Structure formats: C-alpha cells, structure tokens
Amino acid sequence: KMKIAVTTTGNDLNSPFENRFGRAPGFIIYDTETKQFEAVDNSMNLNAAQGAGIQAAMNVIKAGAKVLVSGHCGPKAFTVLKQAEVKIFNANAATVSEAVEKYVSGMLIEMKSADVDGHW
C-alpha cells in the first residue's frame, strides 16, 4: 500500500499540477492501491517568510505519504523528506492525475538532491 503526495492548486485529481513544493497551495494524497485520495491544505505556508518548505514537508509526512511528486524541491524540505524516507520524484504534468499516472507507470526519475535554492 503506497500513498503519494502530489503538489496542486486544487483539491481533486483533475486539479492543475503545481510546480512548487513549499508554496504549493495544497497536496493530493493518493493511495495507489485503493485509488482513493484526500486533499491536504498547505495554504498557510503561502505567505511564510521562511520555512515554507519544511512546513510543507511536515504536512506530507503527517499525511503518511512515502512519495512526493512535485516540480521542484528546495534543500531544507529535501533533507526533512529524506530523513522521513519519503522519495521525491520530479514531474512535469498538466494535472494531478497525469502526474500520478506518470509515477505509477515508472516514467518519473527520483531526485537525488534538491534542485532549487531555498526561498524559490
């Protein structure tokens, strides 16, 4: 059973995929086994002066996701996620469901390090 977190600006599978991680308005937590999903609000981080990535990472971990699919991930968030053994995959997709499909079909490459600086 695997839960994956996908960054989004909406709250269902047809919502647009969001490239940013720390300042993503929310996440869809998708269960690859049951195909159920839940929306997790991350909007309190949108205006954070700093630490948005770390807070977003904590939200993903709290939701029980073992995989994050996003466009970019900064160094602090990357470190927090790695410590919690969350795998991070870089995607380019129009919607949440497209990002999920790319992950499930093995088209995404796991990120080995942060790919943007903090405060991006």
Side-chain angles (χ1 to χ4, degrees), residues 44-81:
M44 70 292 252
N45 289 324
L46 292 181
N47 300 316
Q50 55 191 18
I54 292 170
Q55 282 305 312
M58 298 309 283
N59 287 340
V60 166
I61 294 160
K62 251 190 302 208
K66 283 294 165 203
V67 167
L68 166 68
V69 179
S70 187
H72 300 283
C73 189
K76 290 178 184 160
F78 188 90
T79 301
V80 172
L81 291 165

mmCIF file of all heavy atoms in Angstrom, residues 44-81:
data_model
loop_
_atom_site.group_PDB
_atom_site.id
_atom_site.type_symbol
_atom_site.label_atom_id
_atom_site.label_comp_id
_atom_site.label_asym_id
_atom_site.label_seq_id
_atom_site.Cartn_x
_atom_site.Cartn_y
_atom_site.Cartn_z
ATOM 1 N N MET A 44 -1.452 27.776 4.426
ATOM 2 C CA MET A 44 -0.864 28.588 5.497
ATOM 3 C C MET A 44 0.606 28.868 5.230
ATOM 4 O O MET A 44 1.185 29.774 5.805
ATOM 5 C CB MET A 44 -1.047 27.928 6.869
ATOM 6 C CG MET A 44 -0.210 26.676 7.075
ATOM 7 S SD MET A 44 -0.723 25.308 6.027
ATOM 8 C CE MET A 44 -1.465 24.245 7.203
ATOM 9 N N ASN A 45 1.215 28.123 4.319
ATOM 10 C CA ASN A 45 2.633 28.344 4.006
ATOM 11 C C ASN A 45 2.852 29.336 2.874
ATOM 12 O O ASN A 45 3.978 29.740 2.612
ATOM 13 C CB ASN A 45 3.301 27.021 3.631
ATOM 14 C CG ASN A 45 3.454 26.120 4.841
ATOM 15 O OD1 ASN A 45 3.697 26.593 5.937
ATOM 16 N ND2 ASN A 45 3.282 24.838 4.640
ATOM 17 N N LEU A 46 1.791 29.724 2.189
ATOM 18 C CA LEU A 46 1.954 30.576 1.004
ATOM 19 C C LEU A 46 2.614 31.907 1.331
ATOM 20 O O LEU A 46 3.375 32.431 0.537
ATOM 21 C CB LEU A 46 0.604 30.830 0.328
ATOM 22 C CG LEU A 46 -0.034 29.602 -0.323
ATOM 23 C CD1 LEU A 46 -1.350 29.972 -0.969
ATOM 24 C CD2 LEU A 46 0.900 28.996 -1.361
ATOM 25 N N ASN A 47 2.330 32.438 2.504
ATOM 26 C CA ASN A 47 2.882 33.738 2.872
ATOM 27 C C ASN A 47 3.987 33.654 3.916
ATOM 28 O O ASN A 47 4.409 34.666 4.450
ATOM 29 C CB ASN A 47 1.764 34.661 3.372
ATOM 30 C CG ASN A 47 0.706 34.863 2.297
ATOM 31 O OD1 ASN A 47 1.033 35.074 1.142
ATOM 32 N ND2 ASN A 47 -0.551 34.757 2.676
ATOM 33 N N ALA A 48 4.449 32.447 4.200
ATOM 34 C CA ALA A 48 5.511 32.289 5.199
ATOM 35 C C ALA A 48 6.779 32.983 4.708
ATOM 36 O O ALA A 48 7.165 32.834 3.548
ATOM 37 C CB ALA A 48 5.787 30.806 5.433
ATOM 38 N N ALA A 49 7.404 33.743 5.573
ATOM 39 C CA ALA A 49 8.640 34.435 5.207
ATOM 40 C C ALA A 49 9.748 33.419 4.944
ATOM 41 O O ALA A 49 10.533 33.542 4.031
ATOM 42 C CB ALA A 49 9.055 35.389 6.314
ATOM 43 N N GLN A 50 9.770 32.387 5.780
ATOM 44 C CA GLN A 50 10.738 31.306 5.589
ATOM 45 C C GLN A 50 10.203 30.036 6.221
ATOM 46 O O GLN A 50 9.242 30.075 6.975
ATOM 47 C CB GLN A 50 12.102 31.666 6.169
ATOM 48 C CG GLN A 50 12.053 32.070 7.623
ATOM 49 C CD GLN A 50 13.385 32.664 8.063
ATOM 50 O OE1 GLN A 50 14.201 33.074 7.256
ATOM 51 N NE2 GLN A 50 13.603 32.717 9.351
ATOM 52 N N GLY A 51 10.822 28.923 5.892
ATOM 53 C CA GLY A 51 10.399 27.653 6.479
ATOM 54 C C GLY A 51 9.202 27.024 5.797
ATOM 55 O O GLY A 51 8.673 26.025 6.272
ATOM 56 N N ALA A 52 8.760 27.600 4.662
ATOM 57 C CA ALA A 52 7.589 27.048 3.966
ATOM 58 C C ALA A 52 7.841 25.608 3.524
ATOM 59 O O ALA A 52 6.979 24.751 3.651
ATOM 60 C CB ALA A 52 7.218 27.917 2.762
ATOM 61 N N GLY A 53 9.051 25.364 3.011
ATOM 62 C CA GLY A 53 9.381 24.015 2.545
ATOM 63 C C GLY A 53 9.365 22.997 3.661
ATOM 64 O O GLY A 53 8.851 21.890 3.501
ATOM 65 N N ILE A 54 9.913 23.379 4.809
ATOM 66 C CA ILE A 54 9.955 22.469 5.957
ATOM 67 C C ILE A 54 8.538 22.174 6.443
ATOM 68 O O ILE A 54 8.186 21.023 6.712
ATOM 69 C CB ILE A 54 10.828 23.056 7.086
ATOM 70 C CG1 ILE A 54 12.294 23.093 6.631
ATOM 71 C CG2 ILE A 54 10.671 22.252 8.371
ATOM 72 C CD1 ILE A 54 13.209 23.861 7.549
ATOM 73 N N GLN A 55 7.707 23.209 6.543
ATOM 74 C CA GLN A 55 6.322 23.011 6.975
ATOM 75 C C GLN A 55 5.557 22.129 5.990
ATOM 76 O O GLN A 55 4.793 21.256 6.384
ATOM 77 C CB GLN A 55 5.609 24.367 7.128
ATOM 78 C CG GLN A 55 5.968 25.085 8.409
ATOM 79 C CD GLN A 55 5.721 24.231 9.648
ATOM 80 O OE1 GLN A 55 4.669 23.639 9.809
ATOM 81 N NE2 GLN A 55 6.723 24.155 10.506
ATOM 82 N N ALA A 56 5.765 22.375 4.706
ATOM 83 C CA ALA A 56 5.111 21.565 3.678
ATOM 84 C C ALA A 56 5.564 20.111 3.789
ATOM 85 O O ALA A 56 4.758 19.188 3.672
ATOM 86 C CB ALA A 56 5.415 22.125 2.289
ATOM 87 N N ALA A 57 6.868 19.921 4.028
ATOM 88 C CA ALA A 57 7.402 18.563 4.189
ATOM 89 C C ALA A 57 6.737 17.867 5.372
ATOM 90 O O ALA A 57 6.363 16.689 5.289
ATOM 91 C CB ALA A 57 8.925 18.617 4.375
ATOM 92 N N MET A 58 6.565 18.594 6.484
ATOM 93 C CA MET A 58 5.911 18.015 7.661
ATOM 94 C C MET A 58 4.466 17.626 7.341
ATOM 95 O O MET A 58 3.977 16.595 7.803
ATOM 96 C CB MET A 58 5.939 18.996 8.842
ATOM 97 C CG MET A 58 7.327 19.377 9.321
ATOM 98 S SD MET A 58 8.423 17.967 9.642
ATOM 99 C CE MET A 58 7.770 17.411 11.206
ATOM 100 N N ASN A 59 3.783 18.439 6.534
ATOM 101 C CA ASN A 59 2.405 18.125 6.137
ATOM 102 C C ASN A 59 2.346 16.827 5.334
ATOM 103 O O ASN A 59 1.443 15.998 5.531
ATOM 104 C CB ASN A 59 1.801 19.267 5.302
ATOM 105 C CG ASN A 59 1.474 20.481 6.145
ATOM 106 O OD1 ASN A 59 1.346 20.401 7.361
ATOM 107 N ND2 ASN A 59 1.340 21.630 5.500
ATOM 108 N N VAL A 60 3.304 16.641 4.436
ATOM 109 C CA VAL A 60 3.365 15.425 3.617
ATOM 110 C C VAL A 60 3.626 14.205 4.498
ATOM 111 O O VAL A 60 2.969 13.164 4.371
ATOM 112 C CB VAL A 60 4.470 15.562 2.528
ATOM 113 C CG1 VAL A 60 4.790 14.215 1.885
ATOM 114 C CG2 VAL A 60 4.022 16.568 1.475
ATOM 115 N N ILE A 61 4.574 14.340 5.429
ATOM 116 C CA ILE A 61 4.929 13.234 6.324
ATOM 117 C C ILE A 61 3.749 12.875 7.223
ATOM 118 O O ILE A 61 3.417 11.699 7.393
ATOM 119 C CB ILE A 61 6.178 13.605 7.158
ATOM 120 C CG1 ILE A 61 7.396 13.739 6.233
ATOM 121 C CG2 ILE A 61 6.433 12.586 8.264
ATOM 122 C CD1 ILE A 61 8.542 14.540 6.824
ATOM 123 N N LYS A 62 3.090 13.916 7.773
ATOM 124 C CA LYS A 62 1.925 13.697 8.641
ATOM 125 C C LYS A 62 0.805 12.954 7.921
ATOM 126 O O LYS A 62 0.073 12.182 8.510
ATOM 127 C CB LYS A 62 1.384 15.036 9.152
ATOM 128 C CG LYS A 62 1.639 15.272 10.628
ATOM 129 C CD LYS A 62 0.886 16.493 11.130
ATOM 130 C CE LYS A 62 1.247 17.745 10.370
ATOM 131 N NZ LYS A 62 1.119 18.995 11.066
ATOM 132 N N ALA A 63 0.679 13.220 6.624
ATOM 133 C CA ALA A 63 -0.383 12.594 5.827
ATOM 134 C C ALA A 63 -0.066 11.129 5.506
ATOM 135 O O ALA A 63 -0.910 10.416 4.985
ATOM 136 C CB ALA A 63 -0.594 13.382 4.543
ATOM 137 N N GLY A 64 1.158 10.708 5.821
ATOM 138 C CA GLY A 64 1.522 9.307 5.622
ATOM 139 C C GLY A 64 2.035 8.976 4.233
ATOM 140 O O GLY A 64 2.144 7.807 3.865
ATOM 141 N N ALA A 65 2.360 9.996 3.441
ATOM 142 C CA ALA A 65 2.863 9.745 2.084
ATOM 143 C C ALA A 65 4.308 9.263 2.134
ATOM 144 O O ALA A 65 5.100 9.732 2.945
ATOM 145 C CB ALA A 65 2.755 11.010 1.244
ATOM 146 N N LYS A 66 4.645 8.321 1.270
ATOM 147 C CA LYS A 66 6.013 7.807 1.172
ATOM 148 C C LYS A 66 6.702 8.297 -0.097
ATOM 149 O O LYS A 66 7.887 8.054 -0.315
ATOM 150 C CB LYS A 66 6.004 6.272 1.206
ATOM 151 C CG LYS A 66 5.802 5.723 2.613
ATOM 152 C CD LYS A 66 6.994 6.076 3.486
ATOM 153 C CE LYS A 66 6.749 5.912 4.973
ATOM 154 N NZ LYS A 66 7.662 6.737 5.768
ATOM 155 N N VAL A 67 5.931 8.979 -0.943
ATOM 156 C CA VAL A 67 6.457 9.508 -2.196
ATOM 157 C C VAL A 67 5.904 10.913 -2.377
ATOM 158 O O VAL A 67 4.729 11.158 -2.099
ATOM 159 C CB VAL A 67 6.025 8.615 -3.393
ATOM 160 C CG1 VAL A 67 6.285 9.311 -4.728
ATOM 161 C CG2 VAL A 67 6.746 7.279 -3.342
ATOM 162 N N LEU A 68 6.750 11.830 -2.835
ATOM 163 C CA LEU A 68 6.305 13.166 -3.207
ATOM 164 C C LEU A 68 6.553 13.348 -4.693
ATOM 165 O O LEU A 68 7.649 13.075 -5.182
ATOM 166 C CB LEU A 68 7.090 14.238 -2.434
ATOM 167 C CG LEU A 68 6.941 15.677 -2.984
ATOM 168 C CD1 LEU A 68 5.528 16.190 -2.776
ATOM 169 C CD2 LEU A 68 7.955 16.605 -2.351
ATOM 170 N N VAL A 69 5.515 13.797 -5.405
ATOM 171 C CA VAL A 69 5.662 14.147 -6.813
ATOM 172 C C VAL A 69 5.431 15.652 -6.924
ATOM 173 O O VAL A 69 4.350 16.146 -6.609
ATOM 174 C CB VAL A 69 4.662 13.377 -7.704
ATOM 175 C CG1 VAL A 69 4.821 13.794 -9.167
ATOM 176 C CG2 VAL A 69 4.861 11.867 -7.556
ATOM 177 N N SER A 70 6.483 16.370 -7.321
ATOM 178 C CA SER A 70 6.397 17.825 -7.429
ATOM 179 C C SER A 70 7.298 18.282 -8.566
ATOM 180 O O SER A 70 7.972 17.464 -9.198
ATOM 181 C CB SER A 70 6.809 18.473 -6.103
ATOM 182 O OG SER A 70 6.576 19.872 -6.136
ATOM 183 N N GLY A 71 7.302 19.593 -8.823
ATOM 184 C CA GLY A 71 8.171 20.100 -9.870
ATOM 185 C C GLY A 71 9.561 20.393 -9.361
ATOM 186 O O GLY A 71 10.550 20.094 -10.003
ATOM 187 N N HIS A 72 9.634 20.976 -8.175
ATOM 188 C CA HIS A 72 10.920 21.378 -7.606
ATOM 189 C C HIS A 72 10.891 21.189 -6.099
ATOM 190 O O HIS A 72 9.832 21.244 -5.486
ATOM 191 C CB HIS A 72 11.212 22.853 -7.904
ATOM 192 C CG HIS A 72 11.278 23.136 -9.370
ATOM 193 N ND1 HIS A 72 12.364 22.810 -10.132
ATOM 194 C CD2 HIS A 72 10.375 23.690 -10.208
ATOM 195 C CE1 HIS A 72 12.134 23.154 -11.391
ATOM 196 N NE2 HIS A 72 10.936 23.696 -11.458
ATOM 197 N N CYS A 73 12.068 20.999 -5.522
ATOM 198 C CA CYS A 73 12.162 20.831 -4.065
ATOM 199 C C CYS A 73 13.444 21.499 -3.583
ATOM 200 O O CYS A 73 14.525 21.214 -4.099
ATOM 201 C CB CYS A 73 12.160 19.342 -3.723
ATOM 202 S SG CYS A 73 12.027 19.022 -1.968
ATOM 203 N N GLY A 74 13.302 22.378 -2.601
ATOM 204 C CA GLY A 74 14.466 23.082 -2.053
ATOM 205 C C GLY A 74 15.230 22.223 -1.060
ATOM 206 O O GLY A 74 14.759 21.173 -0.625
ATOM 207 N N PRO A 75 16.426 22.674 -0.655
ATOM 208 C CA PRO A 75 17.332 21.864 0.161
ATOM 209 C C PRO A 75 16.814 21.495 1.544
ATOM 210 O O PRO A 75 16.986 20.362 1.983
ATOM 211 C CB PRO A 75 18.602 22.712 0.252
ATOM 212 C CG PRO A 75 18.206 24.089 -0.153
ATOM 213 C CD PRO A 75 17.022 23.956 -1.053
ATOM 214 N N LYS A 76 16.158 22.427 2.229
ATOM 215 C CA LYS A 76 15.693 22.122 3.593
ATOM 216 C C LYS A 76 14.560 21.103 3.564
ATOM 217 O O LYS A 76 14.556 20.134 4.323
ATOM 218 C CB LYS A 76 15.243 23.396 4.299
ATOM 219 C CG LYS A 76 16.402 24.317 4.646
ATOM 220 C CD LYS A 76 15.919 25.585 5.289
ATOM 221 C CE LYS A 76 17.070 26.542 5.556
ATOM 222 N NZ LYS A 76 16.586 27.911 5.731
ATOM 223 N N ALA A 77 13.601 21.332 2.656
ATOM 224 C CA ALA A 77 12.488 20.386 2.518
ATOM 225 C C ALA A 77 13.016 19.018 2.095
ATOM 226 O O ALA A 77 12.570 17.986 2.603
ATOM 227 C CB ALA A 77 11.484 20.900 1.494
ATOM 228 N N PHE A 78 13.970 19.018 1.171
ATOM 229 C CA PHE A 78 14.543 17.764 0.683
ATOM 230 C C PHE A 78 15.127 16.959 1.845
ATOM 231 O O PHE A 78 14.882 15.757 1.970
ATOM 232 C CB PHE A 78 15.624 18.055 -0.363
ATOM 233 C CG PHE A 78 16.122 16.822 -1.063
ATOM 234 C CD1 PHE A 78 15.510 16.381 -2.230
ATOM 235 C CD2 PHE A 78 17.186 16.096 -0.558
ATOM 236 C CE1 PHE A 78 15.953 15.234 -2.877
ATOM 237 C CE2 PHE A 78 17.635 14.950 -1.195
ATOM 238 C CZ PHE A 78 17.022 14.521 -2.362
ATOM 239 N N THR A 79 15.879 17.653 2.711
ATOM 240 C CA THR A 79 16.515 16.994 3.854
ATOM 241 C C THR A 79 15.471 16.398 4.804
ATOM 242 O O THR A 79 15.592 15.248 5.231
ATOM 243 C CB THR A 79 17.413 17.997 4.620
ATOM 244 O OG1 THR A 79 18.384 18.485 3.698
ATOM 245 C CG2 THR A 79 18.101 17.346 5.793
ATOM 246 N N VAL A 80 14.427 17.173 5.106
ATOM 247 C CA VAL A 80 13.370 16.704 6.017
ATOM 248 C C VAL A 80 12.671 15.477 5.431
ATOM 249 O O VAL A 80 12.441 14.480 6.128
ATOM 250 C CB VAL A 80 12.348 17.833 6.306
ATOM 251 C CG1 VAL A 80 11.155 17.308 7.087
ATOM 252 C CG2 VAL A 80 13.016 18.972 7.069
ATOM 253 N N LEU A 81 12.350 15.537 4.151
ATOM 254 C CA LEU A 81 11.665 14.412 3.495
ATOM 255 C C LEU A 81 12.550 13.175 3.458
ATOM 256 O O LEU A 81 12.090 12.062 3.721
ATOM 257 C CB LEU A 81 11.239 14.810 2.077
ATOM 258 C CG LEU A 81 10.113 15.846 2.027
ATOM 259 C CD1 LEU A 81 10.012 16.454 0.636
ATOM 260 C CD2 LEU A 81 8.779 15.237 2.446
#
